[in-house]
Amino acid sequence: MARFVDNTITFPYRRSLGPVTGAFMTALTERRILGIRRGDDVLVPPMEWDPTTGAELAPDLVEVGPAGTVASWTWVPVPSEQHPLDRPFAFAFVVLDGAATPLLHAVDAGSPEAMRDGMRVAPRWKGTRVGRIDDLACFVPGETPETDGDDAGPAAEPVERMDYLASITYRNPVPASNDRLVEASHEHRLIGLRCPTCGRVYASGNGYCPVDALPLGPEYEIDLPDTGVVTNFSLVTPVQYPGQTETEPFARVFVRLDGTDTMITYSPVVDVPADEVRVGLRVKAVWITDDGEGSGGLFGAWGAFGGWTPTGEPDVDDPDLVNRIF
Ligand SMILES: [Zn+2]
């Protein structure tokens, strides 16, 4: 049974909403839904440009709803963490009273048997609203709007910006060779896998030769030297995104291990300021005792391997070093 690790990447971004979407979001905090006039029609949600012609629309905003009619729907039996409700619900096109176009939103109806085209629904508002589409928690069957809990009132200022966290989680199987690599690190050993076909030696513990598409089991493991030379590096200036613990610029280095053609990539370097990291720097492995999850590496852990520190030997002067990345 394979072991898996979850890796989540989260990107925060802040967008300015502009005069039309900003007014729509501000109105949501007031428990009102706005559309924009296009000739005799009202588009909901409001847009700055006519989606048919691309022409700019005058900012003639008009309140719609609050109730509306379901035009079509689909049932979501198993909601994910990204869904608006934590229980089974319907995604529905709701044509709000006075609107010409449908708003896509959730309907909390309990079961698919309670859903049908043409059913009437009304908003269920969150008690605390910040100017996002999910201030409108969902729609519920009937004509009467509801509010969850105590009403905290509308936003004090017009809503002009929106913070958003884009997030994706990858679920990766951990190769057995990676677990053995971590075990070896506790003995202060770097191990690699030598492909019997092409002779290449891999230090990453992925468990296969990508050139020959060959799985490499424990019988192909070899010990690797724990000294080498920096061939490339990246200096990272940390952006303070959620989860970033670094505050100062730091380096990630590529090291060719002595007497081999094997690279260890994207590894930390310690005891040397980032602006002194250079190609040709002689380094040796650093062993650490704190090897908690997230200490680095493709699968979240390199065990007790903590990166590299200078050996103090003279730099290697070889212009070909920079051509060694993998
Ligand atoms: Zn191979």
Side-chain angles (χ1 to χ4, degrees), residues 56-90:
E56 188 166 0
L57 294 170
D60 187 3
L61 297 164
V62 56
E63 187 171 347
V64 296
T69 303
V70 169
S72 63
W73 56 278
T74 187
W75 192 250
V76 180
V78 183
S80 80
E81 63 179 298
Q82 307 252 16
H83 277 137
L85 296 177
D86 61 2
R87 51 195 177 275
F89 68 97

Side-chain angles (χ1 to χ4, degrees), residues 251-253 266-270 295 302 305-309:
R252 285 289 178 269
V253 296
Y266 291 114
S267 37
V269 60
V270 298
S295 63
W302 273 351
F305 172 63
W308 305 98
T309 194

Side-chain angles (χ1 to χ4, degrees), residues 194-202 208-214 216:
R194 186 196 301 277
C195 173
T197 302
C198 68
R200 289 180 174 85
V201 176
Y202 300 99
Y208 60 90
C209 173
V211 177
D212 297 299
L214 195 67
L216 301 176

Side-chain angles (χ1 to χ4, degrees), residues 242-260:
Q244 171 63 276
T245 56
E246 301 286 349
T247 57
E248 300 301 319
F250 60 91
R252 285 289 178 269
V253 296
F254 293 63
V255 171
R256 188 186 68 193
L257 300 177
D258 286 343
T260 73

Side-chain angles (χ1 to χ4, degrees), residues 7-36:
N7 295 111
T8 298
I9 301 173
T10 301
F11 301 94
Y13 66 85
R14 168 173 289 184
R15 58 169 290 188
S16 59
L17 297 173
V20 172
T21 304
F24 175 75
M25 295 301 183
T26 302
L28 291 180
T29 76
E30 300 160 354
R31 291 181 289 189
R32 300 189 306 129
I33 303 170
L34 298 184
I36 192 165

Side-chain angles (χ1 to χ4, degrees), residues 218-243:
E219 64 273 31
Y220 299 112
E221 277 172 6
I222 59 168
D223 274 86
L224 295 171
D226 65 356
T227 56
V229 58
V230 172
T231 71
N232 283 267
F233 62 95
S234 297
L235 291 183
V236 182
T237 301
V239 173
Q240 294 307 303
Y241 54 77

